[in-house]
Amino acid sequence: MEELREGLAVMPNPYVAQADRLAASLHHLADTFLIREGTRRQLTEEEMQGIFEKVSDKVCESCTRREQCLEGSREQVYHMVYELMQTVEEYGAELNVEMKRKLQKQCCLAPRFLRHTLEGFQEAKQALAWNNKMALSREGCAVQLDTFAQLIRHATRELDSSIFNDPPLEKKIKQHLKRSGIRMLSAVFFVSAQGRYEIHVTVKAEKGVCVTTKALAKILSRCTGKRMLPAEDERPVIGQDYCTIVCVEGPGYHTLQGMAKVGKGCQKISGDSFLMTPLPGGRQAAILSDGMGSGEKAFRESAMVVEMLEELLKAGFPQRTALSMLNTALVMGREEIHFSTADMAVLNLYDGSCDFFKAGAAPTFIRREDRVEHIYSQSLPLGVVQNQEPEEAQAKLYSGDVIVMVTDGVLDALPSGEQEKILDEVILGAVLENPEELAHYILQSVLEHAGDTPQDDMTVLVASLWANAQ
């Protein structure tokens, strides 16, 4: 197969070339956004000159000292206006006594001059704020476009490198399927970078024959020597018309999950949201988000984070890219800061590895056979700053290991300085294996330490890893 791939590499795939052209266009468009004017904190000399011109036209037009100020002492008057606006920037509209005296000494229409200067200054500052907001939006769009371009290139190259031909294997599968009353029109073979197989077969059942997709997967298993299973949501039975069935190499592990939660003051609505869902490539994700505050408003924020992460991850976006894109989307176009934490554990069910991604989240606890390990985070929640990078950690899990994810409310309910120690003792001391029971046990134990009425939303998410029977 390696020789075949080397031969195919000599002839570039036209679809990959087309994807590269699309990605290059997106990169160019992103650069176009970035070369536009960026954010500024202060007004430019041209903007200050513009304010001066407007004020002089409105105030000085009928003044008897117009020629003296605007012709003989124009530079001096301009510097006074500049100093005036600097003072307003520092102290606000209420000028200090020294500045007021200086203005009255210089201008016989001081109150009117000051009023129009302040109005012009505020208009210019408002325009600057809008320009900065547009610049931030352009920057956010550029980041999204650039990320999407990289994703296109990565996805097309990964797909191109994973396809391979194996005529002897295809012939073998066709013969075995025929013996079981299945006609095969074509087969496409994929192998991931980790060596996992995925087979797409276009087949139909012969007349009078009823064959399940599970039976088809067993035939593929015998032919490949690997444990093949129907893909998730695959049709259960092969019909009389040709259809494409996808079978994937079965993972070596499976997970069990459970959760327990309670709202602040035992309210029915909690500001925490969670999700446990399968992902493409034999992965399992556990996601926990804590919205700012509590109640329905916090729940809407955290639920949006969880739902958008699920959509992006199931679409095939890498975890870090999904979090970065979501953070940019939350920051852009918002007048107020509304942040939510993001705590994500993505388990690889083939090799037991787990990737942890955290943005402002509480520590994650991993229960081993005789100890509890911690995954920490010092990063900010999502939605606070634009260039926010989530913290990432990896761990190798083994059959029987348990992941415990909690929101801040759980730790805050325990005595300061002893939160992690107490929670370690609770998690390690529990003899429960069922994740649902363990989650409720942990929550109940914390409530016993803190009192029966929770002072914040509290959620415990538990996922355990178990090896599949061979």
Side-chain angles (χ1 to χ4, degrees):
M1 189 175 69
E2 292 298 328
E3 293 179 359
L4 176 63
R5 284 184 175 175
E6 291 176 5
L8 290 174
V10 178
M11 298 180 61
N13 189 318
Y15 298 105
V16 173
Q18 176 62 32
D20 282 345
R21 287 192 290 270
L22 175 59
S25 298
L26 292 174
H27 276 302
H28 181 70
L29 187 57
D31 290 340
T32 302
F33 277 109
L34 291 175
I35 63 175
R36 302 287 296 276
E37 181 184 9
T39 57
R40 292 185 287 114
R41 298 186 63 182
Q42 296 181 336
L43 300 176
T44 64
E45 287 289 337
E46 291 77 10
E47 289 169 331
M48 299 284 280
Q49 182 69 33
I51 296 173
F52 174 67
E53 296 293 345
K54 288 181 180 179
V55 173
S56 61
D57 287 344
K58 290 181 179 179
V59 179
C60 306
E61 184 177 1
S62 57
C63 180
T64 56
R65 298 177 59 185
R66 175 183 172 86
E67 292 184 3
Q68 178 184 347
C69 292
L70 298 185
E71 295 181 10
S73 307
R74 183 182 182 87
E75 195 70 24
Q76 183 180 352
V77 174
Y78 175 76
H79 282 296
M80 184 195 68
V81 173
Y82 184 79
E83 185 180 354
L84 173 62
M85 284 187 278
Q86 282 186 317
T87 306
V88 172
E89 179 78 6
E90 186 173 354
Y91 298 104
E94 294 297 325
L95 302 180
N96 55 32
V97 176
E98 182 182 351
M99 190 65 214
K100 286 182 178 178
R101 286 177 179 173
K102 190 173 183 179
L103 179 61
Q104 290 171 350
K105 183 178 179 181
Q106 181 71 34
C107 181
C108 61
L109 298 175
R112 187 181 175 193
F113 188 89
L114 175 61
R115 184 176 71 253
H116 283 284
T117 301
L118 290 176
E119 288 176 358
F121 181 72
Q122 292 303 323
E123 289 175 1
K125 292 293 286 186
Q126 183 65 39
L128 178 62
W130 278 108
N131 287 336
N132 285 341
K133 194 168 186 179
M134 291 175 64
L136 286 174
S137 296
R138 286 196 301 270
E139 183 181 340
C141 288
V143 171
Q144 302 284 41
L145 288 170
D146 198 54
T147 301
F148 190 48
Q150 294 177 23
L151 185 64
I152 289 175
R153 283 179 168 164
H154 172 76
T156 53
R157 278 168 170 73
E158 186 178 66
L159 180 61
D160 183 54
S161 63
S162 67
I163 300 175
F164 70 96
N165 292 322
D166 193 335
L169 178 58
E170 184 174 351
K171 183 178 180 181
K172 183 179 180 181
I173 292 174
K174 191 171 186 177
Q175 291 173 346
H176 279 72
L177 291 177
K178 187 175 181 181
R179 293 171 192 164
S180 300
I182 304 173
R183 290 187 180 183
M184 188 180 83
L185 183 64
S186 64
V188 181
F189 303 99
F190 300 86
V191 62
S192 69
Q194 294 76 31
R196 296 191 293 270
Y197 271 54
E198 182 176 315
I199 303 176
H200 296 221
V201 288
T202 302
V203 294
K204 74 174 183 178
E206 294 182 354
K207 190 174 182 179
V209 177
C210 181
V211 185
T212 64
T213 51
K214 287 185 178 181
L216 170 64
K218 287 182 179 180
I219 295 172
L220 296 178
S221 299
R222 289 198 299 269
C223 293
T224 60
K226 299 180 180 295
R227 181 169 169 264
M228 304 299 295
L229 299 172
E232 186 183 2
D233 298 328
E234 189 56 85
R235 66 183 67 201
V237 179
I238 301 171
Q240 302 294 316
D241 298 321
Y242 278 111
C243 61
T244 299
I245 305 295
V246 179
C247 291
V248 297
E249 186 175 348
Y253 298 90
H254 68 276
T255 62
L256 298 176
Q257 306 97 24
M259 80 88 186
K261 65 187 300 186
V262 63
K264 179 180 179 180
C266 295
Q267 295 179 9
K268 292 183 179 180
I269 298 179
S270 168
D272 301 338
S273 296
F274 69 94
L275 174 72
M276 290 175 281
T277 182
L279 297 178
R283 297 171 300 154
Q284 185 81 26
I287 305 171
L288 183 59
S289 178
D290 182 359
M292 183 175 67
S294 61
E296 186 174 351
K297 185 177 180 180
F299 170 73
R300 286 198 302 267
E301 293 289 330
S302 64
M304 178 177 63
V305 168
V306 169
E307 290 169 3
M308 290 182 69
L309 277 176
E310 178 188 18
E311 186 173 340
L312 290 170
L313 293 173
K314 286 196 170 183
F317 284 82
Q319 296 97 312
R320 179 173 289 277
T321 302
L323 285 166
S324 178
M325 293 179 70
L326 177 55
N327 180 71
T328 302
L330 291 176
V331 172
M332 286 172 56
R334 289 192 162 206
E335 296 293 338
E336 301 176 0
I337 293 178
H338 296 281
F339 62 80
S340 296
T341 66
D343 198 358
M344 184 164 62
V346 181
L347 273 158
N348 186 319
L349 300 182
Y350 287 93
D351 59 14
S353 63
C354 187
D355 294 325
F356 297 90
F357 296 86
K358 288 179 168 290
T364 295
F365 300 80
I366 303 176
R367 188 180 79 178
R368 307 286 192 177
E369 187 176 351
D370 58 351
R371 67 189 187 281
V372 176
E373 298 175 1
H374 304 134
I375 304 293
Y376 294 101
S377 168
Q378 299 296 327
S379 61
L380 294 171
L382 299 178
V384 180
V385 295
Q386 184 145 305
N387 297 319
Q388 164 73 5
E389 286 292 332
E391 293 189 64
E392 181 179 356
Q394 291 81 32
K396 178 70 171 74
L397 303 184
Y398 302 91
S399 185
D401 287 347
V402 179
I403 298 172
V404 178
M405 303 164 67
V406 300
T407 53
D408 287 334
V410 175
L411 290 173
D412 293 343
L414 298 172
S416 178
E418 300 182 18
Q419 295 104 325
E420 293 176 21
K421 180 182 177 182
I422 294 173
L423 210 52
D424 285 351
E425 293 173 353
V426 171
I427 293 171
L428 195 58
V431 295
L432 302 169
E433 296 290 353
N434 183 293
E436 187 78 18
E437 295 176 357
L438 179 58
H440 282 278
Y441 173 78
I442 294 171
L443 182 59
Q444 187 59 43
S445 299
V446 171
L447 286 173
E448 289 174 1
H449 276 86
D452 292 333
T453 303
Q455 301 303 307
D456 194 3
D457 300 323
M458 302 167 67
T459 302
V460 180
L461 203 60
V462 177
S464 58
L465 184 73
W466 301 96
N468 289 327
Q470 298 297 322

